[in-house]
């Protein structure tokens, strides 16, 4: 039976639309080693687990099955803040368009 680690490792690769050859090349291991990890036949050392976490941008708790959250709280908060800033920037752009439109209308009215 595959471990959660093995299942998640394979899922993350498939989600990226990559094959084992591509990922193993990126990570500096043989395709056979990566296949063994994904099939639960071998377990990597801690150093490689951390490399996988960086590569797939997930926490070690997620990869090892200790949590279903892929990102830590700080990352999730940072993402939320970035989303809010992006929304504010979009609103400011819309406000500018409205103000520019009103100015144009005022100019048209004063010219007639």
């Amino acid at each position: 039976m595959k471990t959660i680690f093995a299942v998640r490792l394979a899922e993350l690769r498939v989600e990226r639309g990559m094959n084992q050859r591509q990922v193993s090349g990126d990570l500096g291991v043989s395709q056979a080693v990566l296949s063994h990890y994904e099939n639960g036949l071998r377990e990597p050392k801690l150093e490689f687990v951390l490399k996988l976490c960086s590569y797939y941008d997930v926490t070690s708790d997620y990869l090892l099955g200790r949590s279903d959250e892929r990102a830590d709280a700080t990352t999730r908060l940072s993402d939320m803040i970035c989303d809010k800033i992006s929304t504010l920037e979009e609103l400011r752009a819309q406000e500018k368009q409205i103000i520019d439109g009103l100015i144009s209308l005022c100019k048209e009215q004063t010219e007639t």
Side-chain angles (χ1 to χ4, degrees):
M1 187 170 145
K2 283 187 179 183
T3 63
I4 292 175
F5 169 80
V7 170
R8 287 189 173 173
L9 184 58
E11 285 175 350
L12 289 166
R13 178 183 53 77
V14 170
E15 284 175 12
R16 283 196 172 186
M18 299 177 78
N19 60 41
Q20 286 181 342
R21 181 176 295 156
Q22 293 167 310
V23 173
S24 63
D26 289 347
L27 296 172
V29 296
S30 71
Q31 183 179 348
V33 167
L34 182 62
S35 176
H36 288 164
Y37 293 158
E38 288 187 4
N39 288 300
L41 302 176
R42 289 179 64 183
E43 292 183 354
K45 292 182 179 182
L46 178 59
E47 181 180 326
F48 191 73
V49 171
L50 296 175
K51 191 172 188 177
L52 288 166
C53 292
S54 293
Y55 184 77
Y56 287 117
D57 196 26
V58 295
T59 65
S60 57
D61 280 348
Y62 174 77
L63 195 56
L64 297 173
R66 294 174 39 109
S67 170
D68 291 331
E69 296 291 330
R70 290 184 180 204
D72 61 18
T74 303
T75 303
R76 288 192 309 272
L77 180 59
S78 176
D79 289 346
M80 287 174 29
I81 290 170
C82 288
D83 288 344
K84 296 298 180 191
I85 289 171
S86 178
T87 301
L88 284 172
E89 288 172 346
E90 289 172 16
L91 289 173
R92 285 188 183 133
Q94 290 172 357
E95 288 173 349
K96 185 178 180 330
Q97 288 177 339
I98 291 169
I99 290 169
D100 289 346
L102 290 171
I103 290 170
S104 293
L105 281 173
C106 289
K107 285 181 180 178
E108 289 175 13
Q109 292 297 319
T110 58
E111 291 174 358
T112 56

